[in-house]
Amino acid sequence: MTQTSAQNGEVLNYGTHLLLLLNGVERRDALDDPRRLCDFLANLVDRIGMRILDGPRSATENADPEKYGHSAVIILYESHAAVHTYPMRGSLFLDVFSCKPFDEGKVAGVCREVFGAFDIAERLVLNRGVHWNGTADESVQTWVTTRGKGI
């Protein structure tokens, strides 16, 4: 839910945070290649209009097969993006956070180009920083004072 100012309808949140879990990834080889994951992140952020501040960087988790995988992160002037893969499961988690608006459809399109077909098992979009200039308690109190009469 996006919070807006009562005076002018201006959005008060800092930015959008997109979190995806993709299952049934067709191109598992793409999940198991740290260089390809770094290229994926660099291409993704370019396509959604972000600028790279640092990275991308990757690391590998050499655990049991269920947890084996790779993580890659890229730091943006606008915030960050990260991917965590599980090649044996055919799954990945993707996290894109930005103070600049971006097109979620472009994110899905870049994912399809790199990873082939997949199922979106989880999708969460958060408006982050809604309480940038205060706290949740202060916002609730304001709501109760201005709209919550009779509760």
Side-chain angles (χ1 to χ4, degrees):
M1 168 168 50
T2 302
Q3 186 178 21
T4 59
S5 165
Q7 289 83 17
N8 61 14
E10 176 187 352
V11 175
L12 298 176
N13 66 307
Y14 178 76
T16 301
H17 200 160
L18 172 65
L19 301 118
L20 296 172
L21 167 58
L22 307 182
N23 284 339
V25 173
E26 177 181 19
R27 296 185 193 134
R28 289 187 180 202
D29 59 317
L31 299 175
D32 204 13
D33 184 341
R35 183 70 245 150
R36 204 160 163 190
L37 294 174
C38 287
D39 291 344
F40 159 71
L41 285 179
N43 183 39
L44 172 68
V45 300
D46 178 62
R47 298 265 296 274
I48 61 174
M50 306 301 166
R51 301 165 300 143
I52 299 171
L53 181 62
D54 192 25
R57 300 184 188 278
S58 67
T60 299
E61 170 63 51
N62 287 312
D64 61 82
E66 286 294 307
K67 294 182 180 172
Y68 163 80
H70 310 281
S71 295
V73 65
I74 194 164
I75 301 170
L76 307 172
Y77 283 93
E78 298 81 10
S79 197
H80 76 272
V83 63
H84 308 282
T85 69
Y86 300 88
M88 304 301 274
R89 298 178 61 95
S91 299
L92 71 85
F93 288 93
L94 179 63
D95 177 356
V96 180
F97 180 32
S98 177
C99 60
K100 180 180 179 183
F102 60 91
D103 183 344
E104 185 181 339
K106 286 184 181 179
V107 173
V110 174
C111 288
R112 278 188 207 88
E113 288 172 14
V114 174
F115 302 111
F118 53 79
D119 297 313
I120 299 175
E122 293 177 8
R123 175 189 168 272
L124 181 61
V125 179
L126 300 170
N127 291 311
R128 302 297 304 270
V130 172
H131 306 290
W132 183 265
N133 293 317
T135 66
D137 289 339
E138 291 168 342
S139 294
V140 168
Q141 186 57 46
T142 299
W143 184 87
V144 168
T145 302
T146 60
R147 297 182 201 125
K149 297 177 188 202
I151 290 181

